[in-house]
Amino acid sequence: LALTVPQISDNLFSFCPQDLYVYISQDEVFSDFNDTQSLFWFHRDLVYGDWNTGEDGDGCYEHSIDLNIPEKVQMNGSLYIHVYFTKTGFHPDPKRKGQYRRLATVHATRMLNKFKRRKFVKTKNLLTGETETDPEMIKRAESHGPVEIISHWHPNLTINMVDDHTAWVKGSVPPPLDQHVKFDAVSGDYYPIVYFNDYWNLQKDYYPINESLQSLPLRLSYCPLSLWRWQLYAAQNARSPWNFLPEDTYEQSDEDQDSVKVALLETNPYLLGVTIVVSIVHSVFEFLAFKNDIQFWNSRQSMEGLSVRSIIFGVFQSLVVLLYILDNETNFVVQVSVFIGLLIDFWKITKVMDVKLDRENKLFGILPRLSIKDKSTYVQSSTKVFDDMAFKYLSWLLYPLFGCYAVYSVLYQEHKGWYSFVLGMLYGFLLTFGFITMTPQLFINYKMKSVAHLPWRMLTYKALNTFIDDLFAFVIKMPMMYRIGCLRDDVVFFVYLYQRWIYRVDPNRMNEFGTSGAEPTGVDPNKDSTAQGEVTATGEVAAITEKAEEEKKND
């Protein structure tokens, strides 16, 4: 049997002098090489893999000019850049016999402009019907619809020639490199990778192309690029062919990456390093907080000392946040995160209350009725009295604030409709005065003079995450209301810590379950179990004695 030996390939341009041709055209497939107006840049005697030449001695060259805008491009047309690298002495035009050679030419094409969605959200004052939106924008929205596809322009683009001398074997190139490494069918060697690098072009720097623009500035840079750096760029821009997410999600992802890029460009390197480490710790603490929260409520049998109404109000708050971010088309990852948190809150309801399906009293005689009742350990305890008292006092402050905020929102703010008004009002109110909903638990702790019933592990992890959010609030740009929310959570946690300090563990004091940690004193071990049961009325021996007496009565 003959063994097939894989053919090892070389780079066709290794250490060869080459010429650069750059053409700008409205055609996606370029063929008019004789049009001198299409030739944007021609540069001789570049050397593949040379990192020492150029204006700054780094192998880079730059060329810039203002382009005249064709009328079709002003009307949402496309403009393409065609880049050709040829070995010195050759020409990219296939029609030039003797000057063109396939193995001496590498070609790459890309659209220069970028089409982006511009969504128009029509808002107005619900009472007067007036709006501060630009009338021109309203007119365009009426003619083009709520979503308009507009061509945008960025003046900077870098052409990278990847410096790669790897002896690749055809069919064995790992992904995602296999999509870019092209082999010649005859010689078996591969062409160098030409990469259009716009990674550092921020989305906020793109501007729309319209009739008011007369020219478009374009600054092209040529630079060699190492293989490992190109792999980093390619991995950042790669999108899975199996991804089911819509195009809107990709645009949101680009905007999210902008915040990361701005942090990389503008943040102090030491602070940036601390932020990266802290972000990893934040993810770990978030997972531990979820885990301990679920463990706490899953094993909890008694609601003594816990504010059930605060948990119910938390479900309402999570539901409002989810509906609000869905109405405002927030990032998909944030939507999933909030939805999972809402499911956990709903699950908590089944742990703090008795939730059953009443199959006897059916709705419309068909559907089982959902029965929700307080647990007996909550009804028969002083916690319910303190919880009702706390929410009664809370309503005296909560309802006036809610009414004032609603009046302010409907008078001075614009909304898409009454549904958006209700969601925006509730969300803004909860974000501003949400800390008030945490006060019932503080009130119960004060009345019971105990904090032993609280899930301290979960609270600690969430508090650490809140302090980390404070750091992010200074590093990454975010709304002022969110920063106030972080400060609010810090204050509440410090109040919890103060209560933990003043309500210290006292082994002689009965806790909310009627037991203490102190050893019973004054009991003679030689006495019978009945005497011990009388001394320790709440102890285990007393329970056994009572059980024995009860069994005698039954007999």
Side-chain angles (χ1 to χ4, degrees):
L1 296 176
L3 297 177
T4 303
V5 179
Q7 181 182 357
I8 298 177
S9 305
D10 294 324
N11 194 317
L12 288 168
F13 276 63
S14 290
F15 304 108
C16 290
Q18 57 193 7
D19 298 334
L20 170 64
Y21 296 82
V22 179
Y23 296 90
I24 306 294
S25 171
Q26 298 180 58
D27 301 324
E28 187 174 1
V29 178
F30 186 73
S31 59
D32 192 5
F33 291 92
N34 295 323
D35 184 7
T36 56
Q37 294 183 350
S38 298
L39 183 60
F40 177 81
W41 187 14
F42 172 64
H43 197 286
R44 290 183 180 273
D45 299 329
L46 295 172
V47 179
Y48 182 82
D50 183 7
W51 295 77
N52 300 317
T53 58
E55 300 169 0
D56 297 325
D58 55 357
C60 297
Y61 297 89
E62 189 176 290
H63 183 71
S64 60
I65 197 173
D66 289 345
L67 301 174
N68 294 324
I69 308 178
E71 185 177 353
K72 290 183 178 179
V73 176
Q74 288 181 325
M75 304 301 294
N76 254 16
S78 300
L79 202 60
Y80 294 90
I81 179 173
H82 305 272
V83 176
Y84 295 85
F85 287 94
T86 65
K87 293 181 180 180
T88 301
F90 293 92
H91 196 272
D93 188 0
K95 298 178 181 179
R96 297 194 181 188
K97 304 299 181 181
Q99 291 184 310
Y100 172 80
R101 186 185 174 194
R102 179 175 51 83
L103 297 180
T105 305
V106 60
H107 166 233
T109 299
R110 175 199 165 111
M111 185 191 296
L112 280 174
N113 56 313
K114 181 176 182 179
F115 289 100
K116 302 176 66 176
R117 289 179 173 85
R118 183 170 66 180
K119 296 182 179 180
F120 176 78
V121 180
K122 189 175 181 179
T123 60
K124 61 181 179 180
N125 188 293
L126 298 178
L127 297 180
T128 63
E130 299 178 353
T131 179
E132 297 180 356
T133 309
D134 186 6
E136 184 66 26
M137 292 289 295
I138 299 177
K139 189 181 297 183
R140 289 187 67 89
E142 293 174 351
S143 59
H144 294 84
V147 179
E148 184 179 4
I149 307 297
I150 299 179
S151 178
H152 285 70
W153 184 263
H154 197 286
N156 299 326
L157 183 63
T158 300
I159 303 169
N160 287 136
M161 179 73 90
V162 180
D163 186 11
D164 178 21
H165 303 276
T166 308
W168 295 115
V169 177
K170 188 175 182 180
S172 301
V173 182
L177 276 68
D178 57 344
Q179 302 177 12
H180 302 273
V181 179
K182 305 301 180 184
F183 291 87
D184 181 67
V186 178
S187 66
D189 294 330
Y190 63 91
Y191 293 92
I193 300 173
V194 179
Y195 177 64
F196 294 103
N197 192 349
D198 62 349
Y199 182 78
W200 298 106
N201 291 355
L202 303 180
Q203 298 298 314
K204 64 182 182 65
D205 295 331
Y206 283 86
Y207 54 89
I209 302 174
N210 50 41
E211 298 85 353
S212 62
L213 295 177
Q214 301 300 322
S215 62
L216 294 172
L218 178 60
R219 183 176 66 182
L220 278 184
S221 301
Y222 163 81
C223 285
L225 184 67
S226 62
L227 181 63
W228 73 272
R229 287 189 63 185
W230 171 77
Q231 287 178 293
L232 292 178
Y233 286 130
Q236 288 290 324
N237 296 326
R239 290 174 180 172
S240 172
W242 306 103
N243 205 319
F244 61 90
L245 298 178
E247 288 295 324
D248 289 355
T249 307
Y250 289 131
E251 292 185 7
Q252 294 174 357
S253 176
D254 291 341
E255 294 174 358
D256 292 339
Q257 283 191 8
D258 264 15
S259 61
V260 177
K261 295 173 186 177
V262 170
L264 291 173
L265 292 172
E266 299 179 0
T267 309
N268 182 281
Y270 298 104
L271 181 58
L272 183 62
V274 172
T275 304
I276 293 174
V277 174
V278 165
S279 63
I280 297 174
V281 176
H282 184 281
S283 302
V284 174
F285 284 161
E286 191 74 24
F287 170 76
L288 292 174
F290 274 121
K291 181 179 83 66
N292 284 277
D293 195 20
I294 294 174
Q295 285 180 344
F296 175 82
W297 290 106
N298 192 40
S299 60
R300 191 74 179 182
Q301 300 297 327
S302 172
M303 293 299 106
E304 190 76 25
L306 296 173
S307 175
V308 175
R309 281 172 171 74
S310 294
I311 296 171
I312 298 175
F313 195 87
V315 174
F316 170 73
Q317 184 170 342
S318 298
L319 181 62
V320 169
V321 172
L322 179 62
L323 294 176
Y324 177 81
I325 64 176
L326 289 175
D327 186 57
N328 287 271
E329 300 179 357
T330 315
N331 184 275
F332 178 76
V333 177
V334 176
Q335 295 175 2
V336 173
S337 169
V338 174
F339 179 71
I340 293 175
L342 178 62
L343 291 180
I344 294 177
D345 287 339
F346 273 122
W347 173 78
K348 285 183 184 179
I349 293 293
T350 65
K351 305 303 294 184
V352 302
M353 305 185 75
D354 288 328
V355 181
K356 298 179 181 178
L357 287 176
D358 187 358
R359 301 183 184 277
E360 296 181 358
N361 302 319
K362 296 184 178 180
L363 290 172
F364 310 109
I366 301 174
L367 299 176
R369 188 185 300 271
L370 188 65
S371 173
I372 302 177
K373 297 180 180 179
D374 289 330
K375 285 184 177 292
S376 58
T377 56
Y378 177 72
V379 174
Q380 301 172 2
S381 66
S382 59
T383 303
K384 186 177 188 304
V385 177
F386 298 150
D387 206 4
D388 293 341
M389 189 185 305
F391 264 85
K392 182 182 71 173
Y393 296 152
L394 180 65
S395 63
W396 296 351
L397 178 65
L398 201 62
Y399 293 148
L401 288 175
F402 180 75
C404 294
Y405 190 86
V407 171
Y408 167 79
S409 181
V410 75
L411 287 179
Y412 297 103
Q413 294 180 343
E414 295 184 4
H415 306 276
K416 291 184 291 184
W418 287 102
Y419 173 74
S420 296
F421 158 71
V422 173
L423 287 180
M425 176 191 63
L426 290 174
Y427 179 76
F429 177 78
L430 292 174
L431 195 63
T432 308
F433 304 106
F435 70 96
I436 297 178
T437 63
M438 303 179 188
T439 53
Q441 186 62 64
L442 298 175
F443 182 78
I444 292 175
N445 298 343
Y446 164 72
K447 283 293 186 179
M448 300 188 70
K449 299 295 187 292
S450 172
V451 292
H453 45 268
L454 295 180
W456 279 104
R457 282 190 179 181
M458 184 271 293
L459 288 175
T460 303
Y461 289 133
K462 286 198 171 185
L464 291 173
N465 271 350
T466 302
F467 299 144
I468 293 173
D469 288 338
D470 294 337
L471 174 63
F472 283 131
F474 289 99
V475 175
I476 299 176
K477 294 181 180 179
M478 56 182 59
M480 181 58 67
M481 295 300 297
Y482 184 83
R483 297 181 177 181
I484 294 176
C486 293
L487 178 62
R488 172 201 72 191
D489 295 339
D490 293 340
V491 173
V492 172
F493 181 71
F494 280 123
V495 175
Y496 277 127
L497 288 181
Y498 175 72
Q499 288 187 330
R500 185 178 176 88
W501 178 70
I502 60 175
Y503 305 141
R504 298 181 181 182
V505 177
D506 183 4
N508 297 317
R509 178 170 56 87
M510 294 292 182
N511 64 9
E512 61 272 19
F513 304 109
T515 60
S516 67
E519 293 292 335
T521 57
V523 180
D524 188 355
N526 296 323
K527 291 184 179 181
D528 58 7
S529 60
T530 305
Q532 292 186 23
E534 293 175 355
V535 175
T536 58
T538 60
E540 183 179 1
V541 180
I544 296 174
T545 305
E546 292 175 2
K547 184 177 181 181
E549 293 177 355
E550 187 176 350
E551 289 177 354
K552 290 179 181 179
K553 292 179 181 178
N554 294 334
D555 293 339

